[in-house]
Amino acid sequence: MQAGMVIIGAGECGGRAALTLRDLGYEGPVTLVGDEPHLPYERPPLSKEAMTSEAPLIKAIASDELLAERSIRHIHSARAVAIDRAAHVVRLSDGSSLAYDKLLLATGSAPRKLPMPGLGGRCVYLRTFNDALAIRAHLSAGNRVAIIGGGFIGLELAASARKLGATVTVLEAQPRILMRGVPAEIAEIIHKAHETEGVKVLTGQGIAAIADNGVEVLVTLADGNEVVADLAVIGIGAVPVTALAAEAGLAIDNGIAVDGTLRTDDPDIFAAGDCCSFPLGVYGGRRVRLEAWRNAQEQGALAAKNML
């Protein structure tokens, strides 16, 4: 019996890979495994439409009906906990196992944690739809929100929070916002736009301490000033989810290391999206990792093609 294709990670990358396998004519079993209870969905709207629309909805990549029509098995609310490379088997958190001919790791990234004591239930991160719903509950007139990190996610959340009437302070340790994302001239325009909308933006401000007493969060800055908030959202970057691959003995180098075809050092295991690093020709073959919606989408499709 054919084991087929198994995809770990039911996000943008994994979802696109599963659909592309069928688009390319593959007729064997396709199994998509995700640790969330939802259908595969787009993450970019989580900091925007999911915060501000009257009824926040998941923007699904595929419906149950489409997955069924394409004969794609979707296992949700389960994590892959181990890969037995010799047996070509993946073990899941629910105790079940999946055999594979080819395996795609599309495990994505996770929010970088703030390495400080004093964080509690009012210090949160945004990665999932459920995270978005929890944050949204605090974004209303009269509520104070501190956003730690002046990158794309933090600034998108700041705009959404202001739209809903919350008081917003953005804290960025670097000399300016979007330090890694855009040139200084563009960052200055965006900085001014946020201030015009009522966002207080503090740059060059390291955090000395955080105290979450369950009622409010007190953020003490390096210069001694304090910011008091009802909610602190931490957006200081992301890290690739590599533990499953590392425990299976696959090479890790700022993500799961793959070649130009997205193949790992195991010929039957591929990786794509936020979780992998790959050699980029325009950088002289230097290994890079991209945390971007389009990269996840296109690498999911490319991985599917190369798995075939």
Side-chain angles (χ1 to χ4, degrees):
M1 181 178 175
Q2 187 178 14
M5 306 296 195
V6 173
I7 300 167
I8 304 300
E12 178 72 44
C13 185
R16 296 296 175 189
L19 292 170
T20 302
L21 285 169
R22 293 300 188 219
D23 290 340
L24 295 175
Y26 178 69
E27 296 180 352
V30 175
T31 305
L32 182 63
V33 181
D35 59 3
E36 293 187 60
H38 313 294
L39 287 163
Y41 64 88
E42 310 277 11
R43 293 192 191 276
L46 296 183
S47 53
K48 300 181 277 288
E49 294 98 316
M51 294 293 163
T52 58
S53 61
E54 286 190 20
L57 297 174
I58 284 178
K59 186 177 179 183
I61 296 166
S63 64
D64 284 319
E65 291 76 17
L66 178 60
L67 294 176
E69 177 189 315
R70 307 300 294 275
S71 297
I72 296 169
R73 180 187 180 196
H74 176 215
I75 299 175
H76 62 79
S77 306
R79 291 180 300 105
V81 295
I83 302 169
D84 185 334
R85 291 166 54 187
H88 278 57
V89 167
V90 179
R91 295 190 174 88
L92 304 184
S93 57
D94 62 6
S96 64
S97 296
L98 295 170
Y100 66 86
D101 292 319
K102 293 286 193 296
L103 175 66
L104 174 62
L105 301 178
T107 48
S109 57
R112 187 182 302 278
K113 302 298 184 182
L114 187 65
M116 299 185 72
L119 277 63
R122 288 177 176 265
C123 300
V124 300
Y125 301 86
L126 175 60
R127 175 63 184 173
T128 68
F129 183 72
N130 289 351
D131 293 338
L133 293 182
I135 292 170
R136 177 190 169 101
H138 291 270
L139 304 187
S140 58
N143 271 15
R144 303 159 297 175
V145 179
I147 296 176
I148 300 171
F152 288 113
I153 296 293
L155 294 171
E156 289 168 2
L157 273 172
S160 295
R162 282 299 300 140
K163 187 174 181 179
L164 295 173
T167 300
V168 182
T169 303
V170 172
L171 306 172
E172 173 53 60
Q174 297 292 329
R176 65 171 174 87
I177 61 171
L178 296 169
M179 197 77 180
R180 294 190 306 140
V182 301
E185 296 84 353
I186 296 175
E188 183 179 356
I189 293 169
I190 296 171
H191 186 133
K192 289 179 179 176
H194 277 276
E195 288 189 329
T196 298
E197 293 296 330
V199 177
K200 186 175 183 179
V201 182
L202 302 177
T203 57
Q205 287 286 0
I207 296 173
I210 292 183
D212 177 358
N213 63 15
V215 178
E216 59 186 16
V217 182
L218 176 64
V219 182
T220 304
L221 304 179
D223 63 6
N225 286 318
E226 296 179 338
V227 174
V228 181
D230 300 293
L231 183 74
V233 184
I234 301 165
I236 56 173
V239 294
V241 177
T242 60
L244 180 68
E247 288 165 9
L250 299 174
I252 307 296
D253 184 357
N254 182 31
I256 303 168
V258 297
D259 64 15
T261 69
L262 302 177
R263 193 188 302 265
T264 69
D265 50 356
D266 183 313
D268 292 329
I269 301 179
F270 293 73
D274 290 14
C275 69
C276 79
S277 67
F278 55 93
L280 195 59
V282 295
Y283 283 165
R286 191 180 78 186
R287 188 166 289 280
V288 300
R289 189 172 64 82
L290 295 177
E291 299 164 6
W293 171 87
R294 183 167 183 175
N295 181 66
Q297 185 181 66
E298 295 189 353
Q299 282 195 344
L302 179 61
K305 181 178 181 179
N306 291 334
M307 289 164 76
L308 296 176

